[in-house]
Every structure is written in structure tokens, then in C-alpha cells.
Amino acid sequence: MSLNLKSKLPNLEQSIFSKMSQMAVAHKAINLSQGFPDFEADPELISLMQQSLYGNYNQYAPMGGIYSLREAIAAKTERCYGQTYHPENEITLTAGATQAIYTAIASTIYPGDEVIIFKPAYDCYEPSVIAQGGIPVLLQLNSDFHIDWEAFRKALNSKTRMVILNTPHNPSGTILKDADLLTLEALLKPTDTLVLSDEVYEHLVFDNGLHQSVSKYPGLKERSFICASFGKTFHITGWKMGYCMAPEALMKEFRKIHEFVVFSVNHPAQRAIAEYMKDSSRYEALRALFQEKRDLFLGGIQGSRFAFTPAEGTYFQLLDYSEISPQSDLDFAEWLLRDKGVAAIPISVFNLNRQDNHQLRFCFAKKSETLKRACDILCRL
């Protein structure tokens, strides 16, 4: 039987994450490509999950999420950023941040709407926009991964329905500064343009750096969806737990789509995380843990021929291999995996026009022994 099926995403390629992880398994390589830890979650959090499973919390949660967890998110947001979101109508629990991002886009983007995306960008943004009939407007970040605000000013027009931000930034590990958000706030003031802010690595900022949430800027907060991830924060990516915060009018539209995409999300996990969040000191401990891992990785390759600028946030580090090989980043990544046994992500796949700057992204959210084995290999190149 032949079906006349018209794809909404006809040009979608296999995810580079899936490709490199599959190759890593096939070649038994050390997998520093995909962004997931290879160490266990906090045993206390696992215990709380077990208590939830046996505590009769195995039926549907409320559509927006259990109230105690929404209250905990609101309290954390006020403590960290001095901003208030009402648990009842401005916070929704989602099946990971990717679902939150998709839902925010699906609830507000119509055919012909333009959405500004800064490249390199996480790979879910563009397909989500295209699936709604939106038009991605792609702006390449500068060589130091900062926004070219003059280019942004020129791209902004009456058709610009949304701007997508990501800070701390995947894949570069950079963070937006106060001046960036103030500039964006001023440029968007006379417009009806929305902001989608992907802040999944908000608690993983290093060297006494400061995460600038868009919630801290009144002119941005009033027009923004903020998407966050418990999976990234508490290294429980398999739980697929995230959330979205937005002003009531935006959240009302968000929930209209959310209801028919997932309705509600993992009930026992919500109970466990709500209890776990009662200890606010955990966030500083996480920051210290991941900075220690970043420093271990960078210290381990100090004598190598890679060049780098230490990541300001996330759990990714870019390495420039220009002094090692003239190969394209895709070819070098495949050679490194296949012949040397270390998997990384080539950055050109995220860039505008596949711009190749001879950089690979390495995930340092790994056990110390994993990182040390990888560093030993990288230092011999």
C-alpha cells in the first residue's frame, strides 16, 4: 500500500547525538559525546523516589504538576533571582525541558511567524519551529560565542514572533551577561516579540559566575517562557522531568497544548523531587561537583595540543584541534572515536551553513576514572 504522506520535517537528518552514541557503543569508545552523566544520582533522591513508588502516588498527577513541587520551584526562583511566579497558574511540570520547549513553540507560533535562533544551537529548536509552519531566522554567534547585537537588530522585524535564548549555552559553555539581557530588553520593548529562554543549566555556572535568568528583567519576564530541567540539574536525565515558567496569559496557552501532548507527567518523580528540593544547599554542592569535573578534565589535557577557553557553565567543554589535524570536525570526530576510542560531538552540525571551526564538544559529566582515561588518550594525539 502506498500512502500519500507529506512529511512536516522532510529534511530532518539523524541526530548527531544518536549517531555518535551508536558509534561509541559499536566501537566500545569512551562516550563524552551525549550529554548524560555516567555516575549515579544522589542515593537520597533515589530513596525518595522509592518511597513515592510505594506511597500510592502512581496515578495521574494534576495537569500542571503537584502543587508542592510548583511551590518549591517558585520558592527557588524567588531565592535565586528575586522573582515571583505563582504556583497555580504560572508554573507547569513537563516531561523534560525538550517537551517544555516544543510546547511553548507549538502554543504561540503560526505559519509564517519568524523565530530568531542563535547558532550554534541545540538541535530541537529549528524542527519545533518548522513543524508549526514557522520560519527559523538563523544568526551565527561571534567567534567567542557572543551575540552580534547589530545583526540581531537588523533581523528583528514585524514578523519576528519569538527569540530563542540558551544560557548557559550548549554547546559553547558560555553564559549571557547582564549587558546582553539589558540590550535584548531594550530592543524588544516596542515589539510584541516573545522570548523562549532555555535555562536548563542554570545551576551549573563556574568560577563564581552568575546565571542571568531572563526572569530578572521585567521587560523580558513579561514576554518569556523559561524552560528548565531537573534531569540536567540533578543528573537524572532518564526521569525526563522539567518545567516551564511564564506569565499567566502565556501559561494559559501553553497548558492548552500541554494537556493534549502529555496531560501530566511522572507523579512519583514529582513527589521525590519536591521533597528533595527542601534542602537548598544542594544547588551549591552541584555547582562545586561539576566545576571539579570540569577542572579535572581541563587539568588532564593541559599538556595536549588542544586549545580551549574554560567553559563558564553547562557540563560541556569545547576543544580546538587545529594544531592536531586539518580534517573537518565531523571527520576528526569519527576518526577520534573509531581509531582512538573517544566520542565527542562536532560543532559544525549546529552552526549556520555548517561553519567548521575545528572544534569538538566533550561532556565532562562523567566519573573521574572515565575522564582520566579519556584525557590520557587525548594527550597522546
Side-chain angles (χ1 to χ4, degrees):
M1 181 178 179
S2 178
L3 297 175
N4 184 20
L5 181 63
K6 184 177 180 180
S7 175
K8 282 195 168 186
L9 298 170
N11 300 316
L12 188 67
E13 300 176 356
Q14 180 190 21
S15 163
I16 190 66
F17 304 113
S18 297
K19 177 180 178 179
M20 300 309 287
S21 286
Q22 288 169 7
M23 288 182 65
V25 171
H27 292 275
K28 297 182 173 58
I30 300 169
N31 191 355
L32 303 189
S33 61
Q34 198 161 0
F36 62 84
D38 69 345
F39 50 89
E40 292 300 321
D42 185 343
E44 184 177 347
L45 181 56
I46 300 301
S47 177
L48 290 169
M49 181 64 151
Q50 290 174 326
Q51 292 173 38
S52 296
L53 289 169
Y54 289 103
N56 198 26
Y57 295 120
N58 297 302
Q59 307 309 321
Y60 294 126
M63 184 180 74
I66 63 170
Y67 202 78
S68 60
L69 182 50
R70 285 184 274 166
E71 283 185 314
I73 293 167
K76 186 212 68 162
T77 302
E78 187 165 10
R79 183 177 67 251
C80 292
Y81 311 121
Q83 297 301 316
T84 301
Y85 285 86
H86 197 288
E88 179 61 37
N89 49 34
E90 295 186 320
I91 299 172
T92 299
L93 276 297
T94 61
T98 301
Q99 186 243 311
I101 290 165
Y102 181 85
T103 302
I105 292 169
S107 62
T108 56
I109 300 303
Y110 289 81
D113 285 346
E114 294 185 0
V115 178
I116 293 178
I117 299 173
F118 299 103
K119 304 285 282 182
Y122 183 55
D123 64 353
C124 84
Y125 303 155
E126 287 174 62
S128 300
V129 170
I130 293 168
Q132 310 311 316
I135 302 170
V137 176
L138 308 178
L139 300 181
Q140 183 70 30
L141 296 175
N142 292 335
S143 59
D144 57 0
F145 299 101
H146 292 157
I147 294 172
D148 181 338
W149 287 111
E150 185 55 35
F152 177 82
R153 191 190 312 271
K154 292 177 180 177
L156 191 63
N157 65 76
S158 60
K159 294 182 180 179
T160 308
R161 184 57 178 154
M162 178 180 282
V163 178
I164 300 181
L165 300 179
N166 176 209
T167 185
H169 182 252
N170 174 17
S172 73
T174 56
I175 58 176
L176 288 176
K177 307 302 192 292
D178 180 59
D180 292 305
L181 278 302
L182 288 172
T183 299
L184 181 64
E185 185 178 41
L187 289 172
L188 295 187
K189 185 175 182 179
T191 77
D192 292 324
T193 301
L194 302 173
V195 173
L196 193 166
S197 188
D198 177 354
E199 302 184 16
V200 302
Y201 298 103
E202 61 178 321
H203 296 296
L204 306 183
V205 178
F206 312 130
D207 303 321
N208 298 312
L210 188 63
H211 169 60
Q212 300 292 353
S213 172
V214 300
S215 67
K216 297 169 64 175
Y217 302 83
L220 296 179
K221 180 186 176 186
E222 66 185 6
R223 64 179 76 231
S224 293
F225 296 98
I226 296 176
C227 300
S229 169
F230 290 119
K232 297 295 188 185
T233 300
F234 296 135
H235 41 277
I236 47 171
T237 59
W239 291 20
K240 291 299 293 179
M241 284 294 302
Y243 61 91
C244 181
M245 303 189 301
E248 182 176 0
L250 292 180
M251 187 54 68
K252 182 178 180 180
E253 297 307 311
F254 180 97
R255 287 185 179 175
K256 289 177 182 178
I257 300 297
H258 173 79
E259 179 175 7
F260 298 106
V261 172
V262 293
F263 178 67
S264 65
V265 300
N266 195 314
H267 192 172
Q270 290 188 54
R271 296 282 171 181
I273 292 170
E275 187 67 26
Y276 192 70
M277 287 180 69
K278 289 181 178 179
D279 183 354
S280 61
S281 68
R282 299 187 194 281
Y283 294 103
E284 280 305 312
L286 285 166
R287 180 197 295 248
L289 169 68
F290 283 98
Q291 172 146 359
E292 180 182 339
K293 291 184 176 298
R294 184 206 66 172
D295 293 348
L296 174 64
F297 180 65
L298 293 183
I301 61 167
Q302 198 66 52
S304 74
R305 292 194 288 162
F306 289 99
F308 58 85
T309 299
E312 296 176 292
T314 75
Y315 41 56
F316 303 115
Q317 177 65 51
L318 293 191
L319 299 183
D320 184 315
Y321 64 87
S322 299
E323 295 299 316
I324 300 173
S325 171
Q327 291 176 287
S328 72
D329 62 356
L330 184 56
D331 287 343
F332 185 77
E334 292 186 358
W335 171 82
L336 181 63
L337 188 159
R338 186 178 55 251
D339 290 15
K340 299 300 179 180
V342 178
I345 295 292
I347 297 304
S348 66
V349 298
F350 305 121
N351 281 333
L352 183 61
N353 300 322
R354 299 295 178 102
Q355 177 179 314
D356 187 346
N357 298 318
H358 296 100
Q359 293 176 314
L360 302 183
R361 190 199 78 172
F362 294 81
C363 176
F364 54 79
K366 306 295 178 181
K367 296 174 184 175
S368 295
E369 54 266 35
T370 304
L371 294 175
K372 289 175 182 177
R373 285 195 296 124
C375 288
D376 286 343
I377 295 171
L378 297 177
C379 282
R380 293 197 296 269
L381 299 180

